[in-house]
Amino acid sequence: MVDYFWPAAKDRHLIGQRISRLDGPAKASGRAKYTYDLKPQRMLWGKILRCPHAHAKITSVDVSAAEKMPGVKAVRVIQGPGTEVKWALDEVVGVAATSEALAEEALRAIKVEYEVLPHFVNEANLAQAPKVDAGAEEVVGDPDAAMAAAEVKIKGTYGMPPVAHNCMEAHGQICEWTGADTMNAWCSTQAVAGVAGQFAEGLGIPAANVHVVTEYMGGGYGSKFSVDRWGVECARLAKLAGAPVKLMLDRRAEITVAGDRPSAYGEIEVGAKKDGTLVAWNSKSWASGGPGGSGDPPLPYVFQIPNRRRKHSSVPTNRASARAWRAPNHPQGAFLTMSALDDLAAALGMNPLDFFIQNLSITGVNEKVYREELQIADDLMGWRQRWHPRGDSAKGPIKRGLGLSLHTWGGRGHRSNCEVTLHPDGIAEAKLASQDLGTGTRTVIAIVLADSLGLPLESVKVSLGDSRYPASGGSGGSTTVGGVSSATRRAAQNLLAMIFEKSAPQLGVKPEELEAAEGTIRVKADHGKSLTWRQALAPFGQTPVTATGSNPGTGDLTSSGVGGVQMADVSVDVETGVVRINKVVAVQDCGLIIDLKTAESQVYGGMIMGISAALSEEKVLDPVTGQVLTTDFESYKMAGIADVGELVVHMMTGPGYDERGVIGVGEPPVISPGPSIANAVANATGVRVPFLPLNPRRVLDALEANAAKKKETA
Amino acid sequence: MQPFELASPKTREQAVRLLGTDPARATILAGGSDLLGLMKDNVVTAGRLVYVKSVSGLTGVHTEKAGGLRIGALTTVDDLSADAALGFEYPAITAAAGHVAGPQIRNVATLGGNLLQRPRCWYFRNGFGLLAQRDGKSMVVDGDNRYHAILGNDGPAYFVQPSTLAPLLIAVGAQVVLFGPQGERRLDLEKLYRIPKTEGEREHDLKPGEVLTEVLLPPVAGRKVYSYEVRQRQTLDWSLATASVALEMDGGGKISRARVILGQVAPVPWAATETEEFLKGKTLDVDVASKAGEAAVAKAKPLSQNRYKIQLARVAVKRALLAAAGIVEEGA
Ligand SMILES: Cc1cc2nc3c(=O)[nH]c(=O)nc-3n(C[C@H](O)[C@H](O)[C@H](O)COP(=O)(O)OP(=O)(O)OC[C@H]3O[C@@H](n4cnc5c(N)ncnc54)[C@H](O)[C@@H]3O)c2cc1C
């Protein structure tokens, strides 16, 4: 029985170092081929005719003209007469043709008639919603009595609109039938192993006959777990046409139907004692993520206020269904909670840093983590020297301010299997049906394998993105790094056990006295007694040696529950409402870090995505047609590199952190930018801008409303 | 995108012949940074594209003997932003050109294309027509109009004219040279733009078959010129409100004549005539600039979601005037 463990700090040679991702040069040079780039022989182009109405009944579909067009190889009605379509750009007819232009021309030749039905797409104003699914009220303690007794309290309404995932590589796949019931599918997916089964189910063929390949992948952020209707339809078109079909969404469809982070709105009341101790919380929240309603943000977030009542309502809308968006529900929970708490700190006349620290005892297991992180963030931001009460008194229109927020996330490693093969040439290869979304998964696996075997990175190879390899979970919930690194570590340790078995007699010691380091198998207590890697492998001959490892398994290689702190420094032009980020500091824990560089890179990426959503992103839905209006990168505003300011990342490492094992970090850093920036804007201007994104319209509307209120009370 | 024929004329005359007089059949292609996107989205279709970049002699900034500059309409926005003669006479224009879109677009986009680019109204761009009417009603008025017009918005047009360069060139008194089947004509740039009343009409006064060949700028002659744009994002974002000003000063430091043209607020580059009147005879200071901003939006009418643009136009005028006069507001 092998005892699985992570090497102690002194024995880590690659783990925890700052290592550039191994596929960086291939990606930067264009040698890496994404699904979007592939073009198998005889490939046809698939396109989908989409419904222009947000809510309608299909009354007739006439594809005859399209079918007759030369070059059109397959036409399939996806949703026929009688079907009720519940969001704009839902799929109606698929075609495959010999060129992209021809496929588009065929779509234009298709006649579909609709009976247009009433739609509802903008849930910001709850009173206008035709249907509200009111959730149950949840009560802890005695919120009414506690609120009545609270010495200081505030009440506010806060909210954030839906945003789109906007993966750089759109959703899509290429399907190629290799027999009557066997198929290859190149997919832009977050779940190589899982999507094979989904194809199989949709197509009625054995899952083992579907071969899914995702060598490189251009982002998913939670939106690419499903094969999706267009995936199955792509396969059907390929079958009908008798040729491979590539069907990738265009940007308009990508933004409209392939990604939606639910909105969240809340009326919140929160109360504290004069000394800042939180005592009571009351929230009425609502949100929408499409016809099925919405997720339910954790409220209150992080701070488990002893007396609390929450009630969340889900509002069905005629929008394409929500998909998990990086840390599902947490950005919403954090924004609603941290905004209200910051307003309460202002009402108390307290520095929010003191106020947050004062209440850390109700944050649960991460209390100590937050305390340490807040200290570091304070140093990196110069919070205590620079903080001022709400409303920058500087002359002129530019006001500067600071804001902060805390967050948490799970991130335990998912189910994963790794097969390590030791080739006779001494190269070790790890195989997993996992996927590298651009996060550095490949690199992390290579580091674990190389460090475990005492080999340099050049002596290991990672093969992933293929459903024929041992199954590994989908990449979501920040579960990948913990899963694949644990499985790989166990496989490597199992392999070493096999090698040590053979080496021990040669070195005249017991197997447990051996270690693999610096390309040798050596006696731990006497490094002079060693075998070269080649010598150690010799007993195995010409047949490669394999071992497998799985997660979960014995030994604490992964755990869950990280804490993070972010502080933002912004400048607001109060005459134009333009918010500029000066600096954002992120202090993040994620247990034992395999690759410091790619871990930091995840934090940078999360911060940038969060800043973008905080400042400018919004999926704008047209009240008149129910269509998304922001259908390209011009109107769907993503922050550019010049907009994100100076980003400072500090990863928590060392004693207290490393022994927790490997925990994922893709999601937590995206949670706090919204609230920390919004709180900084409030600190700068003295006025709460309650709704994201913090664009000139939102900021000026809030300033104007505040001025009007002041006038009234004067 | 639908198939089209590409014609590459070598002369103005060939271009005009290839264009014919039916705008629905043939369309001018310059840098294509606007037109091709519209064609890909099937918002614009054309059987033939007449690629005027292949016509020789329509690029570059030339100094006229009698003073002033003659700029070929096919000069790229990037070349404009780097032109020494233009920068010497009108640094505000080279600066504004340097802020158009991003480097990739500036490298292909032309001056003529910039002045004649189509509105960015999202109803128009999503295929609902330039006036975005449905069942006789404006979709803009009932819909999401956060980026739409606050001036000149009596309807049915609510889109805004998007060019960064148009308001500034109008402010300095630019003329355009148009070459068409009837030969050449000159027009004040200001008169090129119009507010369409019906869906078939265009937002400019180009006659069928006409090509914009040159832009003529008078000498700066001591005028103070500046353009201020309010942009949320630092790159690849559109201005939310622009004010371009050109001020003639008398010997005593008073304004003798002011041109104040607003961009992104009306279906045409909007002459803020009340402000121009107000400024006459004034010595510029912060107070006067603020009042000038007020005057510019006195007649503004917000739609349901674009009230904030009134404030943006107001402050753009103030800041453009102060910057033109070299006055620094405390704390700004
Ligand atoms: C992301 C993005 C951001 C942008 N930001 C800005 C910005 O900040 N400020 C700004 O001003 N613009 C901006 N633009 C627009 C850009 O400046 C225009 O697309 C460009 O100037 C058009 O020039 P072009 O030569 O490519 O024109 P084309 O696309 O070739 O033509 C545009 C139109 O003008 C007509 N046309 C062109 N030349 C002539 C001519 N000589 N005579 C008669 N008709 C002609 C064409 O028929 C067509 O209708 C942005 C564009 C994008 C995509």
Side-chain angles (χ1 to χ4, degrees):
Chain A
M1 187 59 202
V2 179
D3 186 14
Y4 303 107
F5 60 91
W6 289 112
K10 66 170 177 46
D11 298 327
R12 296 178 212 139
H13 303 286
L14 298 168
I15 290 173
Q17 298 298 305
R18 203 179 287 276
I19 293 171
S20 297
R21 69 187 65 213
L22 301 177
D23 48 12
K27 286 180 172 178
S29 64
R31 268 180 289 127
K33 297 296 173 211
Y34 294 77
T35 302
Y36 219 119
D37 301 320
L38 301 173
K39 195 167 187 274
Q41 293 214 327
R42 303 196 309 126
M43 187 194 87
L44 302 173
W45 298 84
K47 291 271 168 194
I48 291 177
L49 182 71
R50 297 178 173 278
C51 172
H53 308 290
H55 189 196
K57 200 177 226 160
I58 300 173
T59 54
S60 74
V61 181
D62 179 359
V63 297
S64 53
E67 281 175 334
K68 288 195 200 97
M69 290 169 66
V72 174
K73 303 294 184 188
V75 179
R76 243 191 70 82
V77 176
I78 301 170
Q79 297 195 84
T83 323
E84 184 181 337
V85 175
K86 290 191 173 158
W87 58 78
L89 302 200
D90 199 8
E91 297 87 30
V92 181
V93 182
V95 303
T98 48
S99 79
E100 211 173 353
L102 208 58
E104 276 171 15
E105 210 177 314
L107 295 188
R108 283 193 294 274
I110 296 168
K111 305 251 166 320
V112 183
E113 281 170 16
Y114 300 93
E115 177 194 338
V116 180
L117 302 170
H119 65 259
F120 176 71
V121 291
N122 292 312
E123 68 282 6
N125 185 345
L126 188 62
Q128 288 171 352
K131 183 165 178 273
V132 176
D133 298 327
E137 194 173 273
E138 292 163 45
V139 179
V140 174
D142 188 345
D144 294 328
M147 195 64 82
E151 289 158 317
V152 180
K153 52 195 149 190
I154 63 101
K155 221 179 192 167
T157 301
Y158 312 87
M160 57 212 280
V163 298
H165 294 63
N166 254 324
C167 311
M168 268 302 151
E169 181 183 40
H171 285 63
Q173 61 290 306
I174 302 169
C175 293
E176 174 186 46
W177 292 83
T178 51
D181 63 355
T182 55
M183 189 182 80
N184 292 329
W186 293 267
C187 297
S188 184
T189 180
Q190 291 178 244
V192 166
V195 88
Q198 295 181 40
F199 266 119
E201 197 184 327
L203 298 167
I205 59 174
N209 292 7
V210 182
H211 181 197
V212 175
V213 177
T214 308
E215 180 77 7
Y216 295 98
M217 204 273 203
Y221 311 108
S223 70
K224 288 184 181 165
F225 292 109
S226 169
V227 66
D228 283 309
R229 184 152 60 197
W230 53 76
V232 174
E233 289 302 329
C234 175
R236 290 189 174 136
L237 286 171
K239 185 137 210 195
L240 270 179
V245 171
K246 166 144 92 177
L247 197 161
M248 307 294 295
L249 301 195
D250 60 16
R251 188 53 57 184
R252 183 184 169 86
E254 179 71 17
I255 292 180
T256 304
V257 303
D260 190 291
R261 179 189 76 180
S263 62
Y265 300 89
E267 291 167 13
I268 291 162
E269 191 180 11
V270 54
K273 289 190 199 154
K274 246 199 233 122
D275 69 357
T277 308
L278 281 164
V279 292
W281 168 277
N282 233 324
S283 64
K284 251 194 265 169
S285 56
W286 69 97
S288 182
S294 75
D296 188 349
L299 291 173
Y301 188 61
V302 174
F303 292 93
Q304 294 313 305
I305 300 169
N307 304 287
R308 56 187 191 263
R309 172 189 290 110
R310 66 189 295 270
K311 188 170 160 37
H312 181 78
S313 300
S314 164
V315 186
T317 48
N318 296 104
R319 276 212 302 273
S321 299
R323 291 169 186 242
W325 188 93
R326 214 164 175 174
N329 292 323
H330 282 232
Q332 294 94 325
F335 179 71
L336 297 181
T337 303
M338 302 297 159
S339 298
L341 293 187
D342 188 75
D343 285 349
L344 182 58
L348 284 158
M350 278 178 86
N351 182 329
L353 179 56
D354 294 327
F355 172 68
F356 276 53
I357 289 172
Q358 162 136 4
N359 288 288
L360 282 181
S361 61
I362 53 169
T363 60
V365 292
N366 279 329
E367 177 183 348
K368 188 164 161 285
V369 171
Y370 288 134
R371 201 176 296 280
E372 291 177 10
E373 289 179 338
L374 282 166
Q375 180 63 55
I376 292 168
D378 177 9
D379 291 344
L380 291 171
M381 183 56 98
W383 179 286
R384 285 199 193 280
Q385 291 92 60
R386 300 183 39 220
W387 183 82
H388 58 72
R390 272 204 183 169
D392 182 1
S393 55
K395 277 231 164 73
I398 308 295
K399 311 292 185 194
R400 197 160 176 172
L402 298 176
L404 82 89
S405 170
L406 310 182
H407 57 257
T408 183
W409 188 252
R412 181 182 294 281
H414 58 22
R415 219 149 60 70
S416 177
N417 296 285
C418 174
E419 181 184 288
V420 175
T421 301
L422 202 49
H423 295 283
D425 60 1
I427 301 287
E429 180 186 10
K431 289 187 196 137
L432 310 85
S434 184
Q435 49 280 318
D436 190 333
L437 277 48
T439 49
T441 303
R442 214 180 234 110
T443 308
V444 159
I445 294 168
I447 291 171
V448 169
L449 183 58
D451 224 6
S452 299
L453 300 179
L455 293 174
L457 273 175
E458 300 76 58
S459 298
V460 303
K461 177 181 175 191
V462 177
S463 297
L464 47 67
D466 189 317
S467 61
R468 288 183 178 160
Y469 298 145
S472 200
S475 290
S478 302
T479 58
T480 305
V481 68
V484 298
S485 60
S486 301
T488 304
R489 173 73 183 172
R490 291 193 179 98
Q493 286 193 260
N494 289 343
L495 188 80
L496 280 182
M498 293 165 74
I499 297 173
F500 291 170
E501 197 72 32
K502 303 263 190 212
S503 310
Q506 294 185 54
L507 292 167
V509 292
K510 293 208 189 84
E512 53 273 24
E513 290 174 61
L514 295 175
E515 65 178 9
E518 297 174 47
T520 64
I521 304 297
R522 66 192 187 194
V523 178
K524 283 185 226 172
D526 180 0
H527 292 180
K529 276 174 123 181
S530 69
L531 297 175
T532 66
W533 187 246
R534 287 294 184 106
Q535 287 168 332
L537 297 192
F540 295 97
Q542 280 306 301
T543 311
V545 191
T546 67
T548 59
S550 298
N551 191 61
T554 57
D556 293 330
L557 300 188
T558 175
S559 68
S560 179
V562 300
V565 166
Q566 291 186 18
M567 289 179 175
D569 167 358
V570 307
S571 289
V572 185
D573 184 333
V574 293
E575 289 182 348
T576 64
V578 172
V579 176
R580 294 253 185 270
I581 307 291
N582 301 314
K583 179 171 168 176
V584 180
V585 167
V587 184
Q588 184 64 50
D589 121 70
C590 61
L592 175 69
I593 292 175
I594 304 290
D595 181 350
L596 192 52
K597 189 167 184 179
T598 54
E600 284 173 352
S601 185
Q602 283 297 296
V603 180
Y604 285 118
M607 291 163 85
I608 291 170
M609 198 164 171
I611 290 169
S612 182
L615 293 185
S616 52
E617 283 186 47
E618 178 174 4
K619 193 164 170 177
V620 177
L621 282 114
D622 179 21
V624 179
T625 61
Q627 289 191 14
V628 173
L629 291 169
T630 46
T631 48
D632 55 31
F633 281 135
E634 175 190 335
S635 50
Y636 188 89
K637 294 179 187 253
M638 310 249 264
I641 203 69
D643 299 311
V644 302
E646 180 193 354
L647 305 180
V648 178
V649 173
H650 179 95
M651 304 302 296
M652 302 300 285
T653 54
Y657 294 90
D658 292 358
E659 56 271 31
R660 300 170 63 192
V662 180
I663 316 177
V665 73
E667 282 160 301
V670 84
I671 299 167
S672 276
S676 60
I677 293 167
N679 289 344
V681 168
N683 181 250
T685 62
V687 175
R688 165 64 55 186
V689 182
F691 301 106
L692 297 182
L694 300 163
N695 57 29
R697 177 165 76 125
R698 292 294 191 201
V699 174
L700 291 177
D701 283 356
L703 293 175
E704 193 183 1
N706 184 63
K709 206 171 71 195
K710 260 196 188 149
K711 224 184 205 168
E712 214 169 87
T713 51
Chain B
M1 195 188 296
Q2 305 195 21
F4 57 86
E5 174 195 325
L6 181 67
S8 298
K10 294 278 172 283
T11 64
R12 299 187 304 175
E13 290 75 12
Q14 279 177 4
V16 168
R17 230 174 301 128
L18 285 162
L19 276 170
T21 50
D22 181 1
R25 298 208 19 222
T27 301
I28 295 173
L29 171 69
S33 63
D34 185 23
L35 183 61
L36 296 180
L38 287 164
M39 289 177 68
K40 280 186 180 167
D41 291 340
N42 284 303
V43 175
V44 170
T45 53
R48 174 189 290 165
L49 296 186
V50 179
Y51 186 48
V52 289
K53 262 192 173 173
S54 63
V55 174
S56 54
L58 295 185
T59 58
V61 178
H62 312 279
T63 307
E64 299 276 74
K65 282 210 190 72
L69 300 169
R70 186 163 53 83
I71 309 176
L74 276 298
T75 310
T76 66
V77 174
D78 188 59
D79 284 343
L80 274 188
S81 73
D83 191 87
L86 181 62
F88 183 74
E89 193 84 0
Y90 288 111
I93 298 179
T94 48
H99 288 136
V100 168
Q104 295 96 329
I105 290 175
R106 288 197 294 273
N107 269 326
V108 295
T110 63
L111 172 58
N114 186 276
L115 296 176
L116 291 168
Q117 60 176 299
R118 310 299 314 271
R120 311 305 294 194
C121 163
W122 49 25
Y123 290 97
F124 171 59
R125 298 262 160 182
N126 278 305
F128 296 107
L130 185 57
L131 300 183
Q133 286 175 311
R134 213 162 73 161
D135 308 326
K137 278 175 59 184
S138 166
M139 298 169 77
V140 177
V141 170
D142 294 338
D144 200 308
N145 45 45
R146 68 183 69 184
Y147 299 127
H148 286 80
I150 51 169
L151 285 159
N153 59 357
D154 298 326
Y158 297 96
F159 61 81
V160 296
Q161 209 287 330
S163 168
T164 291
L165 297 175
L168 182 52
L169 294 180
I170 291 171
V172 303
Q175 288 193 316
V176 288
V177 179
L178 305 170
F179 187 80
Q182 260 73 52
E184 201 175 89
R185 66 176 173 125
R186 276 187 187 201
L187 192 67
D188 286 342
L189 175 58
E190 190 164 16
K191 301 226 169 73
L192 184 64
Y193 298 103
R194 55 196 300 279
I195 304 183
K197 292 288 175 209
T198 62
E199 186 57 47
E201 286 174 50
R202 283 292 297 269
E203 65 278 17
H204 60 65
D205 221 358
L206 230 58
K207 304 275 180 291
E210 273 187 329
V211 183
L212 191 142
T213 55
E214 285 169 328
V215 174
L216 309 175
L217 302 184
V220 65
R223 287 175 296 165
K224 297 178 184 297
V225 180
Y226 200 83
S227 194
Y228 188 91
E229 295 183 286
V230 182
R231 285 179 199 262
Q232 186 190 2
R233 290 181 302 167
Q234 314 256 49
T235 43
L236 273 188
D237 205 1
W238 291 89
S239 166
L240 294 164
T242 302
S244 302
V245 304
L247 309 173
E248 275 174 48
M249 315 300 280
D250 67 14
K254 287 198 168 62
I255 297 169
S256 51
R257 180 165 184 262
R259 292 291 348 242
V260 177
I261 313 293
L262 306 182
Q264 306 286 356
V265 296
V268 293
W270 188 259
T273 46
E274 291 85 354
T275 306
E276 294 174 348
E277 264 321 297
F278 166 81
L279 286 171
K280 228 180 251 170
K282 298 270 187 332
T283 306
L284 208 55
D285 60 20
V286 173
D287 183 52
V288 166
S290 301
K291 289 198 173 112
E294 289 298 340
V297 296
K299 294 203 173 125
K301 279 184 312 192
L303 302 171
S304 60
Q305 316 211 19
N306 66 2
R307 233 182 110 70
Y308 73 106
K309 286 187 69 172
I310 296 180
Q311 162 63 12
L312 296 182
R314 184 189 283 133
V315 72
V317 168
K318 179 183 88 170
R319 290 186 181 180
L321 288 169
L322 292 175
I327 298 170
V328 179
E329 206 181 347
E330 202 181 349

